[in-house]
Amino acid sequence: MKIKRFIAMAGFCVGIMGLQHTAFAESGDWQVKADTQALYGTYSSSIKRKSVSSTGLIVSADYLEKGGFSLGGNYTKLKFNGGSIINQQAVYGNVRYNVYLDALPGPLTLRLDGHAINNNDTTGNTDNVTVVAPQISFLNYDKTFYIDLGYARSSYKNDLHVQQWTPTLGFGFNEGTDWVQVRGYFINPSNALRAQNKSKTSAVDMKWTHWLNPETSLGLEKVQISGLVGERIYAVDGDAAAVYNLADVQRGSVSLALQWRLSQAFHLMLAAGNERYLDNTINDSYNNRFAYIDLTTQW
């Protein structure tokens, strides 16, 4: 059963953390970060959906410039207008390793993500989901050019597998104060009947980040504007460590995020945005207006 994969993955990730914990005690060369996250969204004009809320924690550790790992969990509650609720638990983990080649002006990073999702969806269509997502990326030493190629394979119950390709380009300019990233999503569900009659979807996600001096901007250190155009379904977002297994066809989004440096160890991000969705089976077009908070601790 796929629920056993959920338990096995959780145990595997905890095992990794236990092994790395020994290394923490032997070396001061580790950098550790914990992200505590919360999100709340309300669905406007939706026939079925009322609201969504989630909380999560991701702990990441990196050893010098060689690589690292992340481990996290998330709880999501999706409320419907009829009063029913989907309660969902998710486990996330990744490992990454940097490869240095003399011919390249920067490291190649090899990364492998894994997701395991369990919920009480009575249809079973979004329950016991597993995702494996490898990625190879390159960032030059000047941090002015970034490129990656990601792949994700998601396994769902009731005869559905989803393949996703995500090529990405990123550019830094203005002496490191600005960063632009563009990522494509090319998604192919194996069963169109289980994917809102979509045999493939494509979308482009764009982000612009501007860095400020927190000493002269009341602690504000980053402003980020994001937007999505096109369509995607059952997407896997590697940056957010999120799987859109509960979503209909996403048809665009826009968001604004602000991050403050509270101290050398604590950073606070507040974000708000709007996502557009379409349920093709009942021709229901609606929006999700959401707010998001993230508190980061580094040591």
Side-chain angles (χ1 to χ4, degrees):
M1 296 174 60
K2 289 186 177 179
I3 187 62
K4 292 182 179 179
R5 299 185 194 175
F6 179 86
I7 297 172
M9 180 172 286
F12 173 71
C13 292
V14 170
I16 290 177
M17 176 170 276
L19 291 174
Q20 299 290 3
H21 181 74
T22 302
F24 293 164
E26 296 173 352
S27 173
D29 295 324
W30 286 89
Q31 290 187 337
V32 184
K33 179 178 75 170
D35 284 281
T36 305
Q37 309 163 341
L39 178 143
Y40 181 78
T42 59
Y43 294 105
S44 172
S45 303
S46 175
I47 296 174
K48 294 181 178 180
R49 302 185 179 207
K50 182 178 180 180
S51 66
V52 61
S53 59
S54 69
T55 57
L57 173 67
I58 297 178
V59 177
S60 300
D62 288 277
Y63 180 71
L64 297 175
E65 300 295 327
K66 295 183 178 180
F69 71 97
S70 299
L71 176 65
N74 179 275
Y75 172 75
T76 300
K77 177 179 288 188
L78 177 63
K79 293 184 178 181
F80 293 87
N81 290 324
S84 61
I85 297 175
I86 290 181
N87 295 296
Q88 176 169 286
Q89 304 83 39
V91 170
Y92 163 76
N94 84 37
V95 290
R96 49 198 178 269
Y97 181 72
N98 296 327
V99 179
Y100 295 88
L101 303 174
D102 293 338
L104 293 177
L108 286 174
T109 299
L110 307 178
R111 171 175 157 177
L112 180 63
D113 291 16
H115 300 262
I117 298 170
N118 176 258
N119 63 37
N120 63 333
D121 182 1
T122 56
T123 69
N125 287 338
T126 66
D127 185 23
N128 287 342
V129 179
T130 57
V131 179
V132 176
Q135 181 193 80
I136 182 170
S137 64
F138 169 79
L139 175 66
N140 68 349
Y141 292 120
D142 294 333
K143 296 185 178 180
T144 58
F145 177 74
Y146 173 84
I147 186 171
D148 76 36
L149 179 62
Y151 172 80
R153 179 177 174 83
S154 307
S155 299
Y156 290 79
K157 294 174 64 176
N158 301 331
D159 188 30
L160 176 65
H161 293 86
V162 182
Q163 295 189 78
Q164 171 183 289
W165 292 95
T166 50
T168 308
L169 284 175
F171 301 94
F173 54 98
N174 286 345
E175 298 181 347
T177 61
D178 290 277
W179 182 265
V180 172
Q181 178 177 293
V182 180
R183 171 170 291 154
Y185 282 83
F186 302 95
I187 302 174
N188 296 94
S190 65
N191 184 350
L193 295 177
R194 285 286 318 284
Q196 300 285 312
N197 296 318
K198 296 286 185 178
S199 59
K200 62 180 179 180
T201 64
S202 59
V204 176
D205 179 67
M206 298 163 287
K207 295 178 182 177
W208 169 66
T209 305
H210 178 69
W211 295 88
L212 302 96
N213 182 354
E215 302 295 335
T216 59
S217 57
L218 300 178
L220 184 64
E221 64 177 353
K222 184 172 74 173
V223 178
Q224 185 176 84
I225 298 175
S226 304
L228 178 80
V229 294
E231 291 187 340
R232 67 181 191 179
I233 191 169
Y234 296 120
V236 179
D237 188 331
D239 289 344
V243 179
Y244 284 73
N245 66 305
L246 296 175
D248 292 326
V249 180
Q250 188 178 9
R251 305 183 71 192
S253 69
V254 62
S255 65
L256 171 66
L258 305 175
Q259 180 172 297
W260 287 266
R261 187 177 73 185
L262 305 181
S263 68
Q264 287 298 115
F266 291 92
H267 303 260
L268 175 68
M269 174 181 284
L270 301 177
N274 183 74
E275 299 173 325
R276 295 191 298 116
Y277 289 97
L278 174 65
D279 184 342
N280 273 330
T281 58
I282 58 174
N283 196 29
D284 182 21
S285 179
Y286 60 92
N287 296 284
N288 174 27
R289 296 166 183 168
F290 66 88
Y292 171 83
I293 184 171
D294 182 294
L295 180 63
T296 301
T297 308
Q298 296 175 316
W299 66 91

